[in-house]
Amino acid sequence: MKNRKKLKVFGGAFLFSLAFTLSIRMGQGGALLSTSVWIFTATNFLTVLCVVILFHKILVDNAHKSVRQLKKQMLPSFVFFLVVTVFLSLLLYSLGVYILYLTEGWRIDNYLKILFQRDIPSTYVPLAIGLFFASIVFFYTTWRQAIEREQRLQEEKLKYKYRTLKTQVNPHFLFNSLNTLSEVIYEDVKKADHYIQKLAGIYRYILDNEETDLISLSEEIDFVKQYFSLQQERLSNKIELEIACENADKFKVIPISLQILVENALKHNVASEENPLKIKICTVEGKYIIVSNRIQKKNILKDARGTGLANLKERVKLIMGENLFIDQANNQFLIQLPIIRTCS
């Protein structure tokens, strides 16, 4: 599919370049199949490709930005786009003129003089027309992308709030939590009180961050520790958590994302005292955080719809403009979650 898209881009760029060159040639009254036509078709083709690549890069850079952020970034991005486009256009056109001089055997000593006095001024009108249409495409595409992303994000927020509320009253989670509490409360009142505070803290964190797109990684790690500690009240030393995240306060992550990944590992794997489930969380290159565990798959798994993981994938794509990477190799299950650096 990607190769087909690339072929379409190359084909469209070539046809546009040929048509553009021929239209200018017809206006000048020259031969339509001369050497200069093919030379300038090639230089126009390279110019169009460079502009398309530049435009695509700007779109990708702005993919995760909100409409408010885009309002501040659009003008600088557009100026940068215009300056680079004009520079590339004139540079490649000058190269085309130089190649024409060589192929036609013209005197090179007059090249620069004629280039600046006649050839480059003759490109002003075609260049202005090209920039005009490029500007329309730039503003329309960039703004439409931001609006569509904002709409999709709002829709996903509504879905997420609904799913979060369902999670908060999940009978299975409440049953396990209350069952553990009923066992602890008769054994140790202080421990039971501590357990209730942990449980309340988990729900408080979820409620406080249901409208938040990104949160400090250090806060998310504290929340995961709290959640995991609650699970250890029930599973004891059957589960282990190892966290190696340096400078966590310098990064942001989607709220409740790590908890979903840890919960996913607990849900899909067997844990015992003889073979405890070990979950590892670490950062990689300041771009990703990895949650991994050895695969100890359950033979029977109830309610394995994967709603939380599917929801997280969509949120990562909408909020951060990236993908959640999942891999299974060497009996290890690994999930790579994008993070954003907040300061150097």
Side-chain angles (χ1 to χ4, degrees), residues 196-225:
I196 292 172
Q197 290 180 17
K198 287 182 181 178
L199 187 61
I202 287 174
Y203 286 120
R204 188 181 301 114
Y205 182 88
I206 293 174
L207 287 170
D208 288 346
N209 294 289
E210 64 180 0
E211 297 289 343
T212 306
D213 288 340
L214 294 169
I215 196 167
S216 169
L217 178 57
S218 58
E219 290 185 55
E220 181 70 8
I221 288 174
D222 289 340
F223 170 63
V224 167
K225 288 179 179 177

Side-chain angles (χ1 to χ4, degrees), residues 29 90 133 138 147 165 176 182 203 230 254 291 329:
L90 295 178
F133 286 106
F138 179 89
I147 294 296
L165 289 172
N176 286 333
S182 66
Y203 286 120
L230 190 68
I254 293 176
V291 179

Side-chain angles (χ1 to χ4, degrees), residues 151-166:
Q151 290 175 342
R152 287 165 55 208
L153 187 57
Q154 290 301 322
E155 291 174 3
E156 188 59 32
K157 276 186 177 180
L158 292 175
K159 292 178 184 177
Y160 172 63
K161 285 181 66 175
Y162 173 67
R163 289 169 183 165
T164 302
L165 289 172
K166 286 174 65 180

Side-chain angles (χ1 to χ4, degrees), residues 256-269:
I256 317 175
S257 55
L258 292 182
Q259 183 270 332
I260 290 174
L261 300 182
V262 170
E263 182 183 34
N264 184 71
L266 296 174
K267 181 178 180 180
H268 290 81
N269 293 275

Side-chain angles (χ1 to χ4, degrees), residues 71-257:
K71 285 180 179 179
K72 297 178 181 179
Q73 294 294 326
M74 180 171 283
L75 185 58
S77 296
F78 177 65
V79 172
F80 173 76
F81 173 75
L82 281 185
V83 170
V84 175
T85 299
V86 170
F87 175 76
L88 286 174
S89 300
L90 295 178
L91 178 65
L92 290 171
Y93 176 77
S94 300
L95 179 62
V97 174
Y98 184 75
I99 294 173
L100 182 62
Y101 268 70
L102 294 178
T103 56
E104 296 292 341
W106 296 340
R107 293 175 59 185
I108 301 297
D109 54 346
N110 292 326
Y111 165 69
L112 290 176
K113 181 179 180 181
I114 296 176
L115 177 69
F116 287 104
Q117 290 183 354
R118 186 191 67 187
D119 294 331
I120 287 182
S122 69
T123 66
Y124 289 162
V125 173
L127 185 59
I129 294 173
L131 289 176
F132 173 74
F133 286 106
S135 302
I136 294 175
V137 173
F138 179 89
F139 277 106
Y140 173 75
T141 306
T142 306
W143 193 253
R144 188 189 66 179
Q145 176 182 262
I147 294 296
E148 288 180 352
R149 177 191 167 279
E150 201 78 7
Q151 290 175 342
R152 287 165 55 208
L153 187 57
Q154 290 301 322
E155 291 174 3
E156 188 59 32
K157 276 186 177 180
L158 292 175
K159 292 178 184 177
Y160 172 63
K161 285 181 66 175
Y162 173 67
R163 289 169 183 165
T164 302
L165 289 172
K166 286 174 65 180
T167 303
Q168 291 169 14
V169 293
N170 186 298
H172 183 67
F173 177 76
L174 283 177
F175 174 79
N176 286 333
S177 301
L178 295 175
N179 189 44
T180 303
L181 180 61
S182 66
E183 293 175 0
V184 173
I185 199 167
Y186 293 108
E187 298 174 0
D188 190 332
V189 176
K190 290 185 178 179
K191 188 176 181 181
D193 181 63
H194 186 56
Y195 181 87
I196 292 172
Q197 290 180 17
K198 287 182 181 178
L199 187 61
I202 287 174
Y203 286 120
R204 188 181 301 114
Y205 182 88
I206 293 174
L207 287 170
D208 288 346
N209 294 289
E210 64 180 0
E211 297 289 343
T212 306
D213 288 340
L214 294 169
I215 196 167
S216 169
L217 178 57
S218 58
E219 290 185 55
E220 181 70 8
I221 288 174
D222 289 340
F223 170 63
V224 167
K225 288 179 179 177
Q226 192 176 23
Y227 168 79
F228 196 81
S229 176
L230 190 68
Q231 300 305 310
Q232 283 183 315
E233 297 287 347
R234 181 169 59 91
L235 299 171
S236 188
N237 58 351
K238 296 178 182 179
I239 56 175
E240 299 176 10
L241 179 63
E242 179 184 330
I243 300 177
C245 299
E246 296 182 358
N247 302 316
D249 57 325
K250 294 183 178 180
F251 299 94
K252 285 188 177 290
V253 69
I254 293 176
I256 317 175
S257 55

Side-chain angles (χ1 to χ4, degrees), residues 268-285:
H268 290 81
N269 293 275
V270 176
S272 64
E273 293 183 1
E274 297 78 18
N275 192 21
L277 177 65
K278 298 179 181 179
I279 302 172
K280 296 181 180 180
I281 300 176
C282 63
T283 51
V284 178
E285 299 176 355

